[in-house]
Amino acid sequence: MTRACSLLSGLSSQGLAGKQTWRKAGLAALGITGMALAGCADQSPSAGGGVSKPVASHKIGVLLPLSGPNAGLGHELLAGAQLAVGNTAPTDPTGLQLDVHDTAAAGGASGAATAAVSAGDGLLLGPLTSGDTAVAAPAAQSAGIPVLAFTSDISQARSGVWIMGITPEDQVQRLVEQARQDGRRKFAALLPNNPLGHALGNGLQSACHDQGLPEPTIVYHSGTAASISQSLRDISNYDTRLQAAKGNSSEPAPYTPDAATADADAAKTADKLPSNLAAALGTDGSAPAAPTDTPKAEAPKLEAPPFDALLLGDTGLNLRNVIVALNETQISLPSVRIMGPGLWAAFATKLGAIKGAWYAAPDPTSRQAFVTRFMAVNHHMPKPLADLSYDAANVAKTVAQSGASGYPASALTRSEGFSGVNGPFTLLPDGRVRRALGVFEVIGGGSPAKMQSAPAKANAISG
């Protein structure tokens, strides 16, 4: 239940590009931070086993680390929430106001949630991490107070518990939807055996089930080059495809001595040559010269693998090893569409080796209005996590202004959804948040990826 924190630490060491501070915040906004739990007033059972009564208050509890090592991030998220709510007059009929609690103070997140409940808050925004959420949730649930969490750990989503981060599962749903429209029906995945990999794998299973597609084939590798290569050979039926390509040819295979034999032959040759000539020829026993006039035998062309779309989840060195394995096993367009996580957006210009690959992410242009407003008030560029707190507070403001009593599930899960920094989004009854994501295609040549399929257009964020 607390896998998100380990996921962030595991991924932060794998990125290929971007400043460290940007990467940590960016990964979180794309679904790599901790989780939060929430209770739904008219759907979540109380501690006594009954059903809690709805809370009529429009006062918003904000649970964030405002002291300690994460204080800077906490204040950034608070600024995002304050921007969404704006300045409300004391006579505002909605009673909309922020009631802020420090999850890093004595009592931690549990104490902060209890204080928010005692203060009569009708909705909680936060806390930040999965661990804090787990201890804060019971007080909120027993009081019938929903929570909008700044996290992406889908394992904690449930009725009344909404996950505000852009989850790996949401990204995969969007990719599968687009690939299905492109005629792809047989999905597979080669993923790292870590929390992100399993989140992507679970997302692929759900997406294929939800969209009426066959069960996908999913393999997890251990992270070594050998594991990546062998896993891809297994999943692509490489040996069978290679044998079929070779057919029943009776031609002898070209002689290719192994490294030990080549070294031994070179040493023997060096013994028979003058030292200066041996050095000139590269046959001094230490660096055998590679032949330059013998053409390298081309690998036979293989038939397509048993899938037409392949989901990857690696970054950094492991992604390079995956790309090598893709070349070895002849997996590429047009027979197979390569897909990957939104993390690829940070270094899409470096992915020319998998030109044509897709990833799902928000339209970056949709964020500009929020950036402009945030900078005007706070005099610095907002970190990506501030997007989530703005979105959550905007949900609270929208529901309060709709005339609803408190924050009932029916108002939070309204079919028209809400306007967000990165596009429209909808709160689903099971705790997931469905966001409008674009599909981007790697085009190579050092150029940024281009949007291959745009998300639904978001409502403008006005001042």
PDB file of all heavy atoms in Angstrom, residues 3 7 31 152 154 167-169 172 191 194-204 220 311:
ATOM      1  N   ARG A   3       3.729   1.660  -1.942  1.00  0.00           N
ATOM      2  CA  ARG A   3       4.733   1.441  -2.963  1.00  0.00           C
ATOM      3  C   ARG A   3       5.144   2.705  -3.685  1.00  0.00           C
ATOM      4  O   ARG A   3       6.175   2.738  -4.343  1.00  0.00           O
ATOM      5  CB  ARG A   3       4.228   0.429  -3.992  1.00  0.00           C
ATOM      6  CG  ARG A   3       2.977   0.887  -4.726  1.00  0.00           C
ATOM      7  CD  ARG A   3       2.501  -0.192  -5.665  1.00  0.00           C
ATOM      8  NE  ARG A   3       1.357   0.302  -6.414  1.00  0.00           N
ATOM      9  CZ  ARG A   3       0.905  -0.257  -7.501  1.00  0.00           C
ATOM     10  NH1 ARG A   3       1.482  -1.318  -7.964  1.00  0.00           N
ATOM     11  NH2 ARG A   3      -0.146   0.231  -8.119  1.00  0.00           N
ATOM     12  N   LEU A   7       8.716   3.784  -5.595  1.00  0.00           N
ATOM     13  CA  LEU A   7       8.663   3.998  -7.023  1.00  0.00           C
ATOM     14  C   LEU A   7       9.380   5.272  -7.406  1.00  0.00           C
ATOM     15  O   LEU A   7      10.176   5.305  -8.337  1.00  0.00           O
ATOM     16  CB  LEU A   7       7.195   4.053  -7.459  1.00  0.00           C
ATOM     17  CG  LEU A   7       6.882   4.443  -8.903  1.00  0.00           C
ATOM     18  CD1 LEU A   7       7.545   3.455  -9.841  1.00  0.00           C
ATOM     19  CD2 LEU A   7       5.387   4.453  -9.111  1.00  0.00           C
ATOM     20  N   GLY A  31       2.588  10.842 -12.342  1.00  0.00           N
ATOM     21  CA  GLY A  31       2.056   9.675 -11.680  1.00  0.00           C
ATOM     22  C   GLY A  31       3.067   8.879 -10.907  1.00  0.00           C
ATOM     23  O   GLY A  31       2.970   7.666 -10.827  1.00  0.00           O
ATOM     24  N   SER A 152      -0.552   9.179  -7.106  1.00  0.00           N
ATOM     25  CA  SER A 152      -0.908   8.383  -8.272  1.00  0.00           C
ATOM     26  C   SER A 152      -0.915   6.886  -7.993  1.00  0.00           C
ATOM     27  O   SER A 152      -0.948   6.100  -8.929  1.00  0.00           O
ATOM     28  CB  SER A 152       0.080   8.654  -9.410  1.00  0.00           C
ATOM     29  OG  SER A 152       0.134  10.025  -9.697  1.00  0.00           O
ATOM     30  N   ILE A 154      -2.507   3.885  -7.642  1.00  0.00           N
ATOM     31  CA  ILE A 154      -3.862   3.428  -7.953  1.00  0.00           C
ATOM     32  C   ILE A 154      -4.332   2.337  -6.998  1.00  0.00           C
ATOM     33  O   ILE A 154      -5.534   2.089  -6.869  1.00  0.00           O
ATOM     34  CB  ILE A 154      -3.925   2.927  -9.412  1.00  0.00           C
ATOM     35  CG1 ILE A 154      -5.365   2.903  -9.931  1.00  0.00           C
ATOM     36  CG2 ILE A 154      -3.258   1.576  -9.554  1.00  0.00           C
ATOM     37  CD1 ILE A 154      -5.978   4.248 -10.073  1.00  0.00           C
ATOM     38  N   THR A 167      -1.936   8.843 -13.460  1.00  0.00           N
ATOM     39  CA  THR A 167      -1.447   7.504 -13.147  1.00  0.00           C
ATOM     40  C   THR A 167      -0.902   6.780 -14.372  1.00  0.00           C
ATOM     41  O   THR A 167      -1.324   7.048 -15.506  1.00  0.00           O
ATOM     42  CB  THR A 167      -2.570   6.656 -12.539  1.00  0.00           C
ATOM     43  OG1 THR A 167      -3.569   6.424 -13.549  1.00  0.00           O
ATOM     44  CG2 THR A 167      -3.206   7.345 -11.342  1.00  0.00           C
ATOM     45  N   PRO A 168       0.011   5.834 -14.152  1.00  0.00           N
ATOM     46  CA  PRO A 168       0.438   4.976 -15.273  1.00  0.00           C
ATOM     47  C   PRO A 168      -0.742   4.262 -15.916  1.00  0.00           C
ATOM     48  O   PRO A 168      -0.791   4.095 -17.129  1.00  0.00           O
ATOM     49  CB  PRO A 168       1.407   3.994 -14.598  1.00  0.00           C
ATOM     50  CG  PRO A 168       1.921   4.730 -13.415  1.00  0.00           C
ATOM     51  CD  PRO A 168       0.770   5.558 -12.925  1.00  0.00           C
ATOM     52  N   GLU A 169      -1.713   3.835 -15.096  1.00  0.00           N
ATOM     53  CA  GLU A 169      -2.883   3.139 -15.631  1.00  0.00           C
ATOM     54  C   GLU A 169      -3.666   4.025 -16.593  1.00  0.00           C
ATOM     55  O   GLU A 169      -4.139   3.564 -17.637  1.00  0.00           O
ATOM     56  CB  GLU A 169      -3.781   2.679 -14.484  1.00  0.00           C
ATOM     57  CG  GLU A 169      -3.222   1.548 -13.658  1.00  0.00           C
ATOM     58  CD  GLU A 169      -2.233   1.991 -12.579  1.00  0.00           C
ATOM     59  OE1 GLU A 169      -1.894   3.206 -12.510  1.00  0.00           O
ATOM     60  OE2 GLU A 169      -1.785   1.136 -11.804  1.00  0.00           O
ATOM     61  N   VAL A 172      -1.857   4.227 -19.903  1.00  0.00           N
ATOM     62  CA  VAL A 172      -1.987   3.010 -20.707  1.00  0.00           C
ATOM     63  C   VAL A 172      -3.378   2.911 -21.322  1.00  0.00           C
ATOM     64  O   VAL A 172      -3.532   2.500 -22.480  1.00  0.00           O
ATOM     65  CB  VAL A 172      -1.666   1.762 -19.861  1.00  0.00           C
ATOM     66  CG1 VAL A 172      -1.905   0.491 -20.664  1.00  0.00           C
ATOM     67  CG2 VAL A 172      -0.219   1.799 -19.389  1.00  0.00           C
ATOM     68  N   LEU A 191       8.391  -5.131 -19.274  1.00  0.00           N
ATOM     69  CA  LEU A 191       8.396  -4.104 -18.238  1.00  0.00           C
ATOM     70  C   LEU A 191       9.404  -4.411 -17.140  1.00  0.00           C
ATOM     71  O   LEU A 191       9.693  -5.586 -16.864  1.00  0.00           O
ATOM     72  CB  LEU A 191       6.996  -4.000 -17.621  1.00  0.00           C
ATOM     73  CG  LEU A 191       5.862  -3.660 -18.597  1.00  0.00           C
ATOM     74  CD1 LEU A 191       4.508  -3.872 -17.939  1.00  0.00           C
ATOM     75  CD2 LEU A 191       6.007  -2.225 -19.086  1.00  0.00           C
ATOM     76  N   ASN A 194       9.475  -3.553 -11.142  1.00  0.00           N
ATOM     77  CA  ASN A 194       9.457  -2.549 -10.083  1.00  0.00           C
ATOM     78  C   ASN A 194       8.038  -1.975 -10.009  1.00  0.00           C
ATOM     79  O   ASN A 194       7.172  -2.358 -10.807  1.00  0.00           O
ATOM     80  CB  ASN A 194      10.517  -1.466 -10.338  1.00  0.00           C
ATOM     81  CG  ASN A 194      10.291  -0.704 -11.635  1.00  0.00           C
ATOM     82  OD1 ASN A 194       9.179  -0.602 -12.135  1.00  0.00           O
ATOM     83  ND2 ASN A 194      11.366  -0.163 -12.200  1.00  0.00           N
ATOM     84  N   PRO A 195       7.751  -1.102  -9.061  1.00  0.00           N
ATOM     85  CA  PRO A 195       6.375  -0.605  -8.928  1.00  0.00           C
ATOM     86  C   PRO A 195       5.820   0.043 -10.188  1.00  0.00           C
ATOM     87  O   PRO A 195       4.656  -0.155 -10.527  1.00  0.00           O
ATOM     88  CB  PRO A 195       6.487   0.401  -7.772  1.00  0.00           C
ATOM     89  CG  PRO A 195       7.587  -0.133  -6.922  1.00  0.00           C
ATOM     90  CD  PRO A 195       8.593  -0.697  -7.897  1.00  0.00           C
ATOM     91  N   LEU A 196       6.635   0.832 -10.896  1.00  0.00           N
ATOM     92  CA  LEU A 196       6.140   1.433 -12.123  1.00  0.00           C
ATOM     93  C   LEU A 196       5.802   0.366 -13.154  1.00  0.00           C
ATOM     94  O   LEU A 196       4.760   0.422 -13.815  1.00  0.00           O
ATOM     95  CB  LEU A 196       7.166   2.404 -12.704  1.00  0.00           C
ATOM     96  CG  LEU A 196       6.808   2.986 -14.086  1.00  0.00           C
ATOM     97  CD1 LEU A 196       5.506   3.776 -14.021  1.00  0.00           C
ATOM     98  CD2 LEU A 196       7.942   3.844 -14.627  1.00  0.00           C
ATOM     99  N   GLY A 197       6.687  -0.610 -13.297  1.00  0.00           N
ATOM    100  CA  GLY A 197       6.437  -1.679 -14.253  1.00  0.00           C
ATOM    101  C   GLY A 197       5.142  -2.411 -13.969  1.00  0.00           C
ATOM    102  O   GLY A 197       4.343  -2.688 -14.876  1.00  0.00           O
ATOM    103  N   HIS A 198       4.908  -2.719 -12.703  1.00  0.00           N
ATOM    104  CA  HIS A 198       3.686  -3.446 -12.354  1.00  0.00           C
ATOM    105  C   HIS A 198       2.447  -2.560 -12.497  1.00  0.00           C
ATOM    106  O   HIS A 198       1.372  -3.054 -12.859  1.00  0.00           O
ATOM    107  CB  HIS A 198       3.799  -4.016 -10.946  1.00  0.00           C
ATOM    108  CG  HIS A 198       4.684  -5.229 -10.871  1.00  0.00           C
ATOM    109  ND1 HIS A 198       4.228  -6.496 -11.158  1.00  0.00           N
ATOM    110  CD2 HIS A 198       6.007  -5.358 -10.572  1.00  0.00           C
ATOM    111  CE1 HIS A 198       5.219  -7.370 -11.032  1.00  0.00           C
ATOM    112  NE2 HIS A 198       6.321  -6.694 -10.677  1.00  0.00           N
ATOM    113  N   ALA A 199       2.590  -1.267 -12.234  1.00  0.00           N
ATOM    114  CA  ALA A 199       1.463  -0.362 -12.451  1.00  0.00           C
ATOM    115  C   ALA A 199       1.101  -0.311 -13.932  1.00  0.00           C
ATOM    116  O   ALA A 199      -0.082  -0.333 -14.301  1.00  0.00           O
ATOM    117  CB  ALA A 199       1.801   1.031 -11.936  1.00  0.00           C
ATOM    118  N   LEU A 200       2.111  -0.261 -14.796  1.00  0.00           N
ATOM    119  CA  LEU A 200       1.867  -0.273 -16.229  1.00  0.00           C
ATOM    120  C   LEU A 200       1.257  -1.603 -16.666  1.00  0.00           C
ATOM    121  O   LEU A 200       0.335  -1.639 -17.493  1.00  0.00           O
ATOM    122  CB  LEU A 200       3.164  -0.007 -16.988  1.00  0.00           C
ATOM    123  CG  LEU A 200       3.738   1.412 -16.876  1.00  0.00           C
ATOM    124  CD1 LEU A 200       5.175   1.455 -17.399  1.00  0.00           C
ATOM    125  CD2 LEU A 200       2.877   2.411 -17.634  1.00  0.00           C
ATOM    126  N   GLY A 201       1.782  -2.704 -16.126  1.00  0.00           N
ATOM    127  CA  GLY A 201       1.250  -4.018 -16.479  1.00  0.00           C
ATOM    128  C   GLY A 201      -0.200  -4.175 -16.062  1.00  0.00           C
ATOM    129  O   GLY A 201      -1.038  -4.683 -16.826  1.00  0.00           O
ATOM    130  N   ASN A 202      -0.516  -3.756 -14.833  1.00  0.00           N
ATOM    131  CA  ASN A 202      -1.906  -3.818 -14.374  1.00  0.00           C
ATOM    132  C   ASN A 202      -2.798  -2.930 -15.234  1.00  0.00           C
ATOM    133  O   ASN A 202      -3.943  -3.290 -15.542  1.00  0.00           O
ATOM    134  CB  ASN A 202      -1.989  -3.387 -12.913  1.00  0.00           C
ATOM    135  CG  ASN A 202      -1.310  -4.352 -11.970  1.00  0.00           C
ATOM    136  OD1 ASN A 202      -1.118  -5.531 -12.297  1.00  0.00           O
ATOM    137  ND2 ASN A 202      -0.916  -3.883 -10.803  1.00  0.00           N
ATOM    138  N   GLY A 203      -2.258  -1.779 -15.622  1.00  0.00           N
ATOM    139  CA  GLY A 203      -3.020  -0.881 -16.475  1.00  0.00           C
ATOM    140  C   GLY A 203      -3.305  -1.489 -17.835  1.00  0.00           C
ATOM    141  O   GLY A 203      -4.396  -1.313 -18.392  1.00  0.00           O
ATOM    142  N   LEU A 204      -2.318  -2.224 -18.386  1.00  0.00           N
ATOM    143  CA  LEU A 204      -2.522  -2.862 -19.684  1.00  0.00           C
ATOM    144  C   LEU A 204      -3.584  -3.952 -19.603  1.00  0.00           C
ATOM    145  O   LEU A 204      -4.439  -4.079 -20.492  1.00  0.00           O
ATOM    146  CB  LEU A 204      -1.203  -3.438 -20.200  1.00  0.00           C
ATOM    147  CG  LEU A 204      -1.257  -4.081 -21.585  1.00  0.00           C
ATOM    148  CD1 LEU A 204      -1.715  -3.075 -22.640  1.00  0.00           C
ATOM    149  CD2 LEU A 204       0.096  -4.674 -21.962  1.00  0.00           C
ATOM    150  N   TYR A 220       8.071  -9.429 -17.104  1.00  0.00           N
ATOM    151  CA  TYR A 220       8.853  -8.493 -16.288  1.00  0.00           C
ATOM    152  C   TYR A 220      10.310  -8.943 -16.272  1.00  0.00           C
ATOM    153  O   TYR A 220      10.602 -10.115 -16.029  1.00  0.00           O
ATOM    154  CB  TYR A 220       8.311  -8.442 -14.857  1.00  0.00           C
ATOM    155  CG  TYR A 220       6.896  -7.922 -14.780  1.00  0.00           C
ATOM    156  CD1 TYR A 220       5.812  -8.798 -14.748  1.00  0.00           C
ATOM    157  CD2 TYR A 220       6.634  -6.564 -14.754  1.00  0.00           C
ATOM    158  CE1 TYR A 220       4.504  -8.329 -14.687  1.00  0.00           C
ATOM    159  CE2 TYR A 220       5.333  -6.074 -14.692  1.00  0.00           C
ATOM    160  CZ  TYR A 220       4.277  -6.968 -14.666  1.00  0.00           C
ATOM    161  OH  TYR A 220       2.993  -6.499 -14.613  1.00  0.00           O
ATOM    162  N   LEU A 311       4.188  -2.603 -25.093  1.00  0.00           N
ATOM    163  CA  LEU A 311       4.341  -1.571 -24.074  1.00  0.00           C
ATOM    164  C   LEU A 311       5.663  -1.751 -23.338  1.00  0.00           C
ATOM    165  O   LEU A 311       5.971  -2.845 -22.848  1.00  0.00           O
ATOM    166  CB  LEU A 311       3.174  -1.649 -23.076  1.00  0.00           C
ATOM    167  CG  LEU A 311       3.225  -0.684 -21.886  1.00  0.00           C
ATOM    168  CD1 LEU A 311       3.095   0.755 -22.357  1.00  0.00           C
ATOM    169  CD2 LEU A 311       2.128  -1.024 -20.877  1.00  0.00           C
TER     170      LEU A 311
END
